[in-house]
Amino acid sequence: MKNSQLYKGSLNTIIMKLLEENGKMYGYEITQKVKAITQGELNITEGALYPALHKMEAEGILDVEMEKVDNRMRKYYKLTEAGTKETINRLSELEDFIRNMQSLVSPKPNLEF
Amino acid sequence: MKNSQLYKGSLNTIIMKLLEENGKMYGYEITQKVKAITQGELNITEGALYPALHKMEAEGILDVEMEKVDNRMRKYYKLTEAGTKETINRLSELEDFIRNMQSLVSPKPNLEF
DNA sequence: CAAATATACATAAGATTCTTATACATAACT
DNA sequence: AGTTATGTATAAGAATCTTATGTATATTTG
């Protein structure tokens, strides 16, 4: 994804959130969207992306729909019903994660005194 | 660490930040501190912690100091000079990471219109 | 007082996730 | 004609973590 190890473990959540927002997307589109949103800071590699998509499909999180555009094949992915539910959990976990990390790096002043 | 995959890759940053803040700490103390700060949400396992500490020591990020307390051994870790510099980078990366993740999950409204 | 829990460190096997490299194919640009 | 962009795919290896186990002392609890 980039040099920072921190993104490890966040790819599925990112994909699910983008699909929740955009209905359906294809792999290459996801990489470009993420690059655009993060202003080039986060580049998802194909070696990480495609296995992740395949796994989520196998798990019943995603559905696939093939489409031929400009003589090139596209595989559109969208969330299944179970995937939509799981996305809610993932986003909630992400909020907790961010909150916990912020607590760790910028501890609140002790309000008891 | 917990059930959420999101913490994967953040352990070293957490350790470094705690050591920057507290001067020196030993392994068990780190696990308890993290548990307290996150109100029990994040539990660092020994299987993750000790190899991480040993690796950072080997990389010159941490220094070790043994101490015997109550007839039990403690290994205190503290940041080396190089470790202190690296901590600044890591914390900066963490800020970027959190900012990017927030952009991805809660995209800002387009201000061009 | 015996058993369980807390304190304290350590490692090994396996799972998961990612990087790096490679592969194939078409379209567009230079 | 060659490079870049678009588009998907996989395989080998690295890195990080989980789970399980091991050792040892101190404290609490039934």
Side-chain angles (χ1 to χ4, degrees):
Chain A
M1 299 226 229
K2 207 205 148 185
N3 36 340
S4 173
Q5 303 282 62
L6 292 166
Y7 293 92
K8 195 168 281 229
S10 60
L11 178 57
N12 285 24
T13 303
I14 292 172
I15 293 172
M16 289 162 81
K17 170 63 189 175
L18 289 178
L19 290 177
E20 188 204 44
E21 212 169 279
N22 298 292
K24 65 174 189 178
M25 297 180 84
Y26 56 101
Y28 187 74
E29 186 185 9
I30 292 173
T31 66
Q32 299 309 302
K33 191 81 175 178
V34 168
K35 195 186 291 186
I37 291 176
T38 63
Q39 274 140 30
E41 279 202 56
L42 178 53
N43 290 294
I44 295 177
T45 58
E46 305 100 314
L49 178 66
Y50 292 112
L53 288 172
H54 299 163
K55 195 182 178 210
M56 284 193 274
E57 187 193 348
E59 288 168 348
I61 305 287
L62 303 183
D63 262 346
V64 182
E65 198 180 308
M66 305 288 287
E67 207 169 306
K68 200 164 192 174
V69 180
D70 272 337
N71 209 35
R72 267 195 252 96
M73 183 183 64
R74 278 185 193 167
K75 279 180 79 171
Y76 278 97
Y77 290 90
K78 65 167 184 246
L79 291 169
T80 61
E81 207 173 319
T84 303
K85 285 179 188 166
E86 184 57 26
T87 302
I88 295 168
N89 296 330
R90 292 302 189 107
L91 291 176
S92 167
E93 279 179 14
L94 179 59
E95 276 176 45
D96 291 344
F97 168 68
I98 289 177
R99 189 166 31 74
N100 282 330
M101 290 305 288
Q102 276 169 338
S103 295
L104 286 164
V105 301
S106 45
K108 291 195 189 73
N110 193 335
L111 297 176
E112 287 185 68
F113 305 100
Chain B
M1 294 225 230
K2 206 205 146 186
N3 38 342
S4 173
Q5 303 282 60
L6 292 165
Y7 294 91
K8 198 169 278 231
S10 60
L11 179 56
N12 285 26
T13 303
I14 292 171
I15 293 171
M16 288 162 81
K17 170 62 189 174
L18 289 178
L19 289 177
E20 189 204 46
E21 212 170 277
N22 298 291
K24 67 174 185 177
M25 298 179 83
Y26 56 99
Y28 187 74
E29 185 185 10
I30 292 173
T31 66
Q32 300 308 304
K33 191 80 174 177
V34 167
K35 196 185 291 188
I37 292 176
T38 64
Q39 274 139 30
E41 279 202 55
L42 179 53
N43 290 293
I44 296 177
T45 58
E46 305 100 315
L49 178 67
Y50 292 112
L53 288 172
H54 300 162
K55 196 182 177 208
M56 285 192 275
E57 187 193 349
E59 288 169 348
I61 305 288
L62 302 183
D63 262 347
V64 182
E65 199 180 307
M66 305 287 287
E67 205 169 308
K68 200 165 192 174
V69 179
D70 271 338
N71 208 35
R72 266 197 252 94
M73 183 183 63
R74 278 186 193 167
K75 279 180 79 171
Y76 278 96
Y77 290 91
K78 65 169 186 241
L79 290 168
T80 62
E81 207 172 319
T84 303
K85 286 180 189 166
E86 184 57 24
T87 301
I88 294 168
N89 296 331
R90 291 301 189 107
L91 291 175
S92 166
E93 279 180 13
L94 178 59
E95 276 176 45
D96 291 343
F97 168 67
I98 290 177
R99 190 166 30 74
N100 283 331
M101 290 305 289
Q102 277 170 338
S103 296
L104 287 164
V105 301
S106 45
K108 290 196 190 72
N110 194 335
L111 297 176
E112 286 186 67
F113 302 101

